[in-house]
Each structure stands twice: as structure tokens, then as C-alpha cells.
Amino acid sequence: MKNVFIINHPVISHNLVTIRDKQYDCESFRTAMKRVSYALFLEATRFLPTKQIEIETPLCKTMHDDIDPDIEIILAPILRAGVAFCDVAQEILPTAKVQHLGMYRDEETLQPVWYYNKTFRIGEDPTKTHVLVLDPMLATGNSAYNAIKCYIDKGVPLENIVFVCLLAAPEGVKLLQDNFGDIKIITTHVDSHLNEKGYIVPGLGDAGDKIFNTRY
Ligand code: URA
């Protein structure tokens, strides 16, 4: 699949066992998710523009690549599960702005309903804005579509937007690709399908419940 970047690595597979298997508790889930998140965000930030700057090592002056200091980086976690990516994402990108996007899924229509996007705004030159939209699960793709569309409508070029998820369903990937062509999707796996309730199969269950320990 074009522009779907799947991180295939034994350490990721090992942590996906803990993430997927229902025998593990929430703490183990969060620890494994954190480990996988480092790999996801290193991959997701591969596309950021760089600029040569002068530095001085103990031996000499030299030119060196650095992330272009003139760009604005936005982390856009989709509430609530997307928040679980923020610690690692902010550690890797300490100057990034975090803009929470609140949508819940109507259980009948499976359509997202907005309830919060107060922090959503971008800098004066949208071509210098780079956005990482964060949600552990790319399921139907409806929330992801809404989130990405917010930034595109503000003039952020599609090539500056990356969608980061732990797991994806083919249905969600298709929705994003049908609407946004070459959108970049970073994930560890594209699973088999969605069930009738919109859950990814085999998946991991409800990501928010596992992260926040709200399984009853
Ligand atoms: N959201 C989840 O938490 N899990 C899924 O499988 C799909 C959407």
C-alpha cells in the first residue's frame, strides 16, 4: 500500500503480543505501547524538513543537518486514546504544539461527533506547518478523516500531514487514501477487517479502555 509505512521489527512484534493479548493488564499495555511509540515517532518524523546549521565540535566547525527551525510542528491527538501517544511524541519533539481534537463515536452510526477543538489553530504560513495526527486505532477512518480535513481546510499541504496509529484496518486506510490520495500513514500492522461494531479484528479491543483502565 502506497505511503502506508509499516514498522516491521522483532521488538515491535514482541510488544504487540502484550498490546493485543487480553491476558495482560493496563500497566503492561501502556509500557508496551510506549516502547512501540518510540519507533512510530522516529518513523513519523522522518519526513520533517531539515536545514544545514553550523556547529562547532571540540575539533572543528562543521555544517550539520537539523530540523528546520522555521517550521511549526503540531501534534494532534484525537481524544481520548490519542493522548497516550503524547508523552513520547513530546519527548521526541519538545517544541511541538499539542492540539487536542475531541470526537466521540456515535455507537449506532459509527460516525464521529465533535465535542472539542478549542486549541485548533495554525501559524501564519500553513506551508510551514507540519502535523502529526495521533490515534492508536485507524478503524473506520471517520475521525481521522475529520481531523486531517481540519488542517487541510486551513491550508496545510497534504504532504505535511502524517497519521500515526498503532493498528490500522483496511477500511480506514482506504477511506483516507480515497479522500487524501498520498496521505502518509505510520503503523505497526494493517489488520484483517472491522467487525459490525467497528472494532479492528484481530485488533486489541478498546484502546482507550486499556490505556485508562476503564474496562468494566
Ligand atoms: N477504537 C478502538 O479502541 N478499538 C478498535 O478496534 C476500533 C476503534
Side-chain angles (χ1 to χ4, degrees):
M1 281 188 231
K2 195 171 173 237
N3 276 355
V4 180
F5 299 88
I6 295 173
I7 304 178
N8 195 359
H9 191 286
V11 174
I12 301 290
S13 300
H14 177 68
N15 282 283
L16 281 175
V17 170
T18 309
I19 285 170
R20 288 182 187 274
D21 193 322
K22 67 178 187 183
Q23 70 169 300
Y24 290 100
D25 63 12
C26 294
E27 188 180 3
S28 310
F29 178 92
R30 285 195 301 268
T31 304
M33 182 170 168
K34 188 169 181 185
R35 292 190 188 121
V36 171
S37 300
Y38 283 105
L40 285 172
F41 284 102
L42 284 181
E43 193 61 30
T45 47
R46 178 187 296 285
F47 310 102
L48 292 177
T50 57
K51 206 173 188 174
Q52 288 258 303
I53 58 158
E54 190 181 76
I55 59 167
E56 189 168 1
T57 74
L59 301 183
C60 67
K61 287 187 176 172
T62 184
M63 298 304 285
H64 206 286
D65 277 342
D66 195 358
I67 295 174
D68 184 343
D70 296 329
I71 63 169
E72 170 188 54
I73 304 175
I74 293 174
L75 302 171
I78 300 179
L79 297 176
R80 71 182 160 146
V83 169
F85 275 141
C86 283
D87 275 359
V88 171
Q90 284 191 283
E91 194 179 326
I92 290 178
L93 298 166
T95 61
K97 295 171 178 145
V98 180
Q99 300 187 343
H100 297 90
L101 304 179
M103 279 171 260
Y104 68 85
R105 185 157 65 159
D106 183 298
E107 295 302 329
E108 280 181 11
T109 63
L110 301 186
Q111 291 301 315
V113 182
W114 278 105
Y115 65 89
Y116 184 84
N117 66 357
K118 272 192 183 311
T119 54
F120 166 69
R121 64 178 73 93
I122 61 167
E124 269 173 27
D125 181 356
T127 64
K128 288 187 182 298
T129 297
H130 290 254
V131 184
L132 284 78
V133 180
L134 319 180
D135 191 341
M137 309 300 274
L138 176 58
T140 61
N142 291 327
S143 310
Y145 168 85
N146 276 359
I148 293 165
K149 190 150 186 319
C150 278
Y151 291 99
I152 288 187
D153 288 349
K154 290 269 182 189
V156 178
L158 186 62
E159 59 267 25
N160 291 8
I161 302 177
V162 178
F163 187 82
V164 185
C165 57
L166 264 182
L167 297 179
E171 293 87 337
V173 172
K174 183 172 183 316
L175 186 94
L176 295 193
Q177 291 185 332
D178 285 351
N179 286 281
F180 304 121
D182 288 342
I183 180 82
K184 290 184 268 295
I185 300 171
I186 317 294
T187 191
T188 67
H189 207 263
V190 179
D191 276 11
S192 163
H193 63 281
L194 292 181
N195 71 11
E196 67 291 348
K197 291 189 171 164
Y199 278 88
I200 297 177
V201 181
L204 54 80
D206 189 298
D209 281 351
K210 280 192 164 179
I211 294 159
F212 299 111
N213 196 16
T214 48
R215 263 180 298 178
Y216 295 102

